[in-house]
Amino acid sequence: MSMFQQLMAKPWAADQGKLDDLYAGGASSRLAKKLALRVFLAVVTVLFTLLVTAYGGRMVYEDWRPAPQVNLLWANTLVLILSSAALQWAQYSVRRGQMDAMRVGLLAGGAFTVVFLFGQVLAWRQLAMMVYFDVTNPAIAFFYLITGVHGVHLLGGLVAWGRTVAKVWGDFEVAKVRQSVELCTVYWHFLLLVWLVLFGLLFTGNNLDLLLKLCGIR
Amino acid sequence: MAYVAHDASVFAPPAEVGEMELYHPKTWLGKYVWSQDAKVIGIQYAITAIGIGLVALVMSWLIRLQLGFPDSFSFIDPSNYLQFVTLHGMIMVVYLLTALFLGGFGNYLIPLMVGSRDMVFPYVNMVSYWVYLFAVLLLVASFFVPGGPTGAGWTLYPPQAILQGTPGATWGIILMLVSLVFFIIGFTMGGLNYVVTVLQARTRGMTLMRMPLTIWGIFMATVLALLAFPALLVSAIMMLFDLLLGTSFFMPALVSMGQQSEHAGGSPLLFQHLFWFFGHPEVYIVALPAFGIVSDLLSVHARKNIFGYRMMVWAIVAIGGLSFVVWAHHMYVSGMNPYFGFFFATTTLIIAVPTALKVYNWVLTLWHGNIQLTVPMLFAIGFIFAFIHGGLTGLFLGNVTVSVPLSDTMFVVAHFHLVMAVAPIMVVFGAIYHWYPKITGRMLNEGMGKFHFWATFLGTYAIYLPMHYLGFLGVPRRYYAVGGTDFIPASAQSLNAGITIASLLVGAVQLVFLYNLVWSYFKGKPSGGNPWNATTLEWQTADTPPKHGNFGATLPVVYRWAYDYSVPGADQDFIPQNVPAREVART
């Protein structure tokens, strides 16, 4: 039943009562975890949307100077795509009962993520050493802020990933591991998507004119 | 949503939460300190919130002493005054009301009212409280650092919040911002629990539209908070960057105290947008649980079903949605584009429609009801008064042309105190008198309760009604001293003194309430399991107070909505939610 139909129900009416009595209750930790991740992703989406909006809002000021481009970000993006793909492989394997392949995928996903984070720190250092570096330039400040917030979310993901990795050796309950791998995969794909948007934003310099006009900001 | 075949449900076995593994502590510490029981966590939240709220209450006294009797108290200098104003606002809005309604009532009531053993993630729930406590302690620590707490106003507007000359411009503001960051992290942990528990852990038969409005209010407020707090988080982090790393998100180039600052190109207006994108939903984060709870109090104590249940739910949802598109009505005088003002005035006035609808439905619930003037009912009726008055002045302030001359006057202070301080706190008191018997097994003393209500109700009116008039006269808010001002008559000072005396009295009366809480815990009349003859599940538990796991061996099965009061033909004037039709005694 859709949410809209549920909200239209008249709970005091006898006919509706018969229907409502059929509701079997919803307690299931599997569904709860899935829903919790979705709600959390909604919260994170709001967070990044606000950052992007603030960035766009600042871009329209006349004194906007784009941050110098750090080409290392291309490599980092590739690494993050690989980490997401590795987790997708882990999910594919666990669904088919191929536990060794799942372990490889899981470990590779984590390793690529660590490389990505290391690469981001390297990108920070590169930017800080450029002659154009000026801490009061909002574009540069936003660069550090946005990449930092994204990195912190990946670090949080690594905690969940670590708990999953700890589970996959010895005797383990396949259903539980499977869900953990699935949840990690969703989270990684989501953070990859967020990164692609942020990467586009941070790397386009001052070329978002059309988008800003569409949003009515410029 | 899972459904079973219809014929199976008639004799279906009771719902049992097979997969919810409860943690059963063996030590006293595990049971009452590091507890994973939502009820204990709720009480921990409530005690912490009320404790820090008392600090904010004392600050309001100090603010009023200065305003009522300027130049009389040597221990209140202009810096202290600004610090009191700032911390009073911040604590009351965020650390008291948000934490108490969602962390306190949310934790205690959600699992009990939806028929669940506990929150779905008890461990995360426990961590949520400890992170909240840490945030509170950081805030308290700011009183003891060099320069004291921040005095930037609860809105923490840059650039002044981090400029030298503002009280607490270094350590104070850092601790404030870090404390907010932790508060938000802690809240997000709790909030995920509340939302998922409501959506995913309801017992058999408890459809969404059979939930009591208390749960609807807390649920929707939690959704708002989850989506609004990121804006505060982002702005707090950005301001910390500006302060500690020298960035210029919010800081424009300026000359401060004769010195050219090192910042350039920041936008203070950006902060205001971010802050109020959080700040306005925050009003409804506080109001929606109050709306929900008061609906249940009115229905139970008027022995009548709530009028227009569906409309009440829709209104809660609509208000929640609209609250995200009205934020800039806090910024009419900020210098933003005037067309924005037109847009935001329109959305603001639209929000009056679902809100007014709720008020009509509360009044219509009382109409021809069998009204029991119990203490919770008195507070519920007090809420309706305060909310209508505060709401009506909101119509003035929502209109740009009326709002601009009233901006930053005492009229605004009177408006928002009536609508989001007095009104919700009336509900908090009503709710405590209502659910205290379930929490402790004893009734609160009624005589003390009635005295508490009348003194608080009349006292708050004595404070805030005259304050509107001060606003009309043009008396500004946030000023330490007005000094010799031609347009403000000398009599305004007498009024201010009167308001101060009323506020001191109202504050002192709260001691009676605190005494009642302690006295009744030991000597109150035993309440039994369901002293108000209420229908909702928390009153149908096997034990009072309910034990860990809430419902004993089997979970209740729900057969009806939450408002079967005075059903024609039924022997009793209430039918609990877990009583099937065949067991209702009829004559």
Side-chain angles (χ1 to χ4, degrees), chain A residues 6-9 22-23 26 58, chain B residues 6 200 205 209 265 310 314:
Chain A
Q6 288 183 52
L7 289 179
M8 293 303 289
L22 305 184
Y23 175 62
R58 185 62 187 80
Chain B
H6 187 221
Q200 205 53 252
M209 293 302 269
R310 282 199 307 171
W314 298 343

Side-chain angles (χ1 to χ4, degrees), chain A residues 43-120:
Chain A
V43 175
V44 179
T45 306
V46 173
L47 181 74
F48 282 106
T49 307
L50 286 165
L51 282 171
V52 170
T53 312
Y55 189 83
R58 185 62 187 80
M59 278 178 85
V60 296
Y61 286 37
E62 283 177 5
D63 62 345
W64 177 259
R65 289 166 290 153
Q69 300 198 341
V70 185
N71 287 319
L72 181 62
L73 290 187
W74 287 100
N76 288 353
T77 306
L78 184 67
V79 172
L80 193 61
I81 292 173
L82 288 175
S83 79
S84 219
L87 281 170
Q88 180 68 34
W89 171 249
Q91 175 179 287
Y92 176 83
S93 306
V94 76
R95 283 179 179 171
R96 272 157 192 73
Q98 299 158 349
M99 295 307 160
D100 285 336
M102 179 267 287
R103 290 189 192 102
V104 172
L106 203 56
L107 288 177
F112 281 127
T113 309
V114 173
V115 173
F116 170 81
L117 289 172
F118 183 73
Q120 293 290 81

Side-chain angles (χ1 to χ4, degrees), chain B residues 52 55-56 59 62 80 83-84 86-88 91 136-150 171-172 175:
Chain B
I52 193 71
V55 174
M59 286 181 180
L62 295 168
N80 294 149
Q83 289 166 327
F84 298 151
T86 304
L87 271 283
H88 168 77
I91 291 174
V136 171
L137 291 177
L138 281 176
L139 185 78
V140 172
S142 73
F143 286 91
F144 304 101
V145 293
T150 176
W171 281 104
L175 281 172

Side-chain angles (χ1 to χ4, degrees), chain A residues 1 6-11 17 20-27 29 32 36 39 46-47 50 58 61 135-136 141 145, chain B residues 1-4 6 19 121 200 202 204-210 227 231 234 238 245 249 262 264-265 267 310 314:
Chain A
M1 208 190 296
Q6 288 183 52
L7 289 179
M8 293 303 289
K10 296 176 179 173
D20 286 346
D21 285 351
L22 305 184
Y23 175 62
S29 73
V39 176
V46 173
L47 181 74
L50 286 165
R58 185 62 187 80
Y61 286 37
V135 75
T136 62
L145 176 69
Chain B
M1 186 181 261
Y3 283 83
V4 292
H6 187 221
E19 293 184 55
F121 308 116
Q200 205 53 252
R202 304 191 307 280
R204 179 183 290 273
M206 180 63 91
T207 55
L208 286 177
M209 293 302 269
R210 276 180 171 177
L227 301 181
V234 168
M238 286 160 88
L245 303 178
F249 289 114
E262 289 176 4
S267 165
R310 282 199 307 171
W314 298 343

Side-chain angles (χ1 to χ4, degrees), chain B residues 34-343:
Chain B
W34 308 106
S35 176
Q36 296 187 24
D37 180 348
K39 296 188 295 299
V40 178
I41 296 171
I43 293 167
Q44 289 174 328
Y45 255 111
I47 291 174
T48 312
I50 292 172
I52 193 71
L54 287 173
V55 174
L57 179 75
V58 171
M59 286 181 180
S60 70
W61 280 349
L62 295 168
I63 297 165
R64 283 309 320 174
L65 281 175
Q66 171 60 28
L67 291 175
F69 309 100
D71 306 326
S72 308
F73 302 97
S74 58
F75 57 90
I76 310 176
D77 62 28
S79 290
N80 294 149
Y81 177 80
L82 291 173
Q83 289 166 327
F84 298 151
V85 171
T86 304
L87 271 283
H88 168 77
M90 188 60 94
I91 291 174
M92 288 297 194
V93 173
V94 176
Y95 295 84
L96 169 64
L97 284 174
T98 306
L100 184 56
F101 270 126
L102 302 182
F105 289 113
N107 265 312
Y108 200 90
L109 295 176
I110 289 174
L112 276 168
M113 290 181 113
V114 303
S116 169
R117 297 232 174 264
D118 205 323
M119 290 289 180
V120 285
F121 308 116
Y123 181 79
V124 179
N125 207 21
M126 175 189 76
V127 177
S128 154
Y129 168 72
W130 291 100
V131 176
Y132 163 65
L133 181 68
F134 182 61
V136 171
L137 291 177
L138 281 176
L139 185 78
V140 172
S142 73
F143 286 91
F144 304 101
V145 293
T150 176
W154 92 278
T155 53
L156 306 177
Y157 279 1
Q160 47 91 8
I162 57 174
L163 284 181
Q164 290 307 318
T166 306
T170 44
W171 281 104
I173 187 77
I174 291 174
L175 281 172
M176 178 79 256
L177 294 170
V178 174
S179 167
L180 283 173
V181 168
F182 276 100
F183 180 91
I184 294 164
I185 293 171
F187 171 76
T188 306
M189 293 180 184
L192 282 174
N193 252 309
Y194 315 151
V195 168
V196 178
T197 303
V198 168
L199 289 180
Q200 205 53 252
R202 304 191 307 280
T203 189
R204 179 183 290 273
M206 180 63 91
T207 55
L208 286 177
M209 293 302 269
R210 276 180 171 177
M211 293 197 305
L213 285 167
T214 296
I215 300 301
W216 269 108
I218 293 175
F219 170 70
M220 199 63 206
T222 307
V223 172
L224 292 193
L226 285 172
L227 301 181
F229 270 123
L232 184 64
L233 181 75
V234 168
S235 44
I237 294 173
M238 286 160 88
M239 207 197 293
L240 278 171
F241 269 45
D242 276 5
L243 180 63
L244 300 175
L245 303 178
T247 57
S248 293
F249 289 114
F250 304 133
M251 298 298 285
L254 47 77
V255 176
S256 169
M257 312 198 49
Q259 300 266 320
Q260 174 70 42
S261 80
E262 289 176 4
H263 297 285
S267 165
L269 207 56
L270 174 62
F271 178 87
Q272 294 190 25
H273 279 297
L274 284 172
F275 182 85
W276 288 114
F277 184 79
F278 144 77
H280 197 81
E282 172 63 35
V283 174
Y284 291 98
I285 291 165
V286 171
L288 288 182
F291 290 172
I293 291 172
V294 85
S295 306
D296 284 351
L297 296 188
L298 289 168
S299 179
V300 173
H301 296 273
R303 314 308 297 160
K304 197 170 157 229
N305 63 293
I306 191 77
F307 188 92
Y309 173 83
R310 282 199 307 171
M311 275 193 261
M312 294 300 247
V313 173
W314 298 343
I316 285 177
V317 176
I319 291 169
L322 284 168
S323 72
F324 279 102
V325 287
V326 299
W327 78 87
H329 68 214
H330 296 270
M331 298 165 56
Y332 287 152
V333 292
S334 68
M336 65 179 187
N337 189 327
Y339 287 112
F340 276 13
F342 173 75
F343 172 80

Side-chain angles (χ1 to χ4, degrees), chain A residues 114-129:
Chain A
V114 173
V115 173
F116 170 81
L117 289 172
F118 183 73
Q120 293 290 81
V121 174
L122 219 57
W124 282 6
R125 289 173 60 95
Q126 282 188 5
L127 184 59
M129 281 187 279

